Amino acid sequence: MTVPAADRRAHPRRPVVVREARCHVGAEVFFGCAANVSRGGLFISSVRRRPKEEVYEIRFELPGLSRTFQCRARVVWSRAYESGSRLPPGFGLQFVDLPDEERALIDAWVWGQPG
């Protein structure tokens, strides 16, 4: 049986609604809605496609944690809007330089342990 690429994940993910994930690239700033997160990255639900390998400065918070996470993240895949598709449009970001301490906090949050 072949496992779809979206299901081949290096780290467990947890659904999340982050209403504001602020992304900076050059002078451009845009906001997206994060739909899931792991210690390795997050998915931004957006109709705005981003080029693969583009790197952003991102900032986001997770519900129940009193911390703002900030790091660089790289676009590793992108999905366009398709009428009738059950998959939302958006793009996957991989954290580039998120400190190990903050990765551990995200792990604990994903696994439902107090932060």
Side-chain angles (χ1 to χ4, degrees):
M1 180 171 126
T2 303
V3 177
D7 293 333
R8 286 185 247 141
R9 296 183 171 147
H11 308 288
R13 291 189 171 1
R14 179 173 169 188
V16 63
V17 175
V18 175
R19 290 191 181 107
E20 180 181 305
R22 184 181 301 237
C23 301
H24 298 262
V25 60
E28 180 185 11
V29 177
F30 69 93
F31 300 90
C33 181
N36 68 45
V37 66
S38 79
R39 76 181 339 262
L42 51 85
F43 170 68
I44 302 288
S45 179
S46 174
V47 294
R48 185 173 188 172
R49 293 193 69 189
R50 305 309 306 180
K52 193 172 178 183
E53 299 300 321
E54 192 167 61
V55 176
Y56 299 103
E57 292 287 331
I58 65 168
R59 199 168 74 201
F60 63 97
E61 295 177 0
L62 296 175
L65 295 181
S66 58
R67 175 177 293 235
T68 299
F69 296 88
Q70 186 170 339
C71 68
R72 290 182 306 135
R74 175 183 305 110
V75 176
V76 291
W77 62 269
S78 182
R79 181 172 47 234
Y81 169 79
E82 290 184 25
S83 180
S85 175
R86 290 194 277 157
L87 298 173
F91 50 95
L93 292 175
Q94 179 182 40
F95 301 137
V96 173
D97 57 2
L98 188 68
D100 288 339
E101 173 189 317
E102 292 187 357
R103 288 180 191 269
L105 283 172
I106 292 172
D107 264 346
W109 187 86
V110 166
W111 290 100
Q113 299 167 359

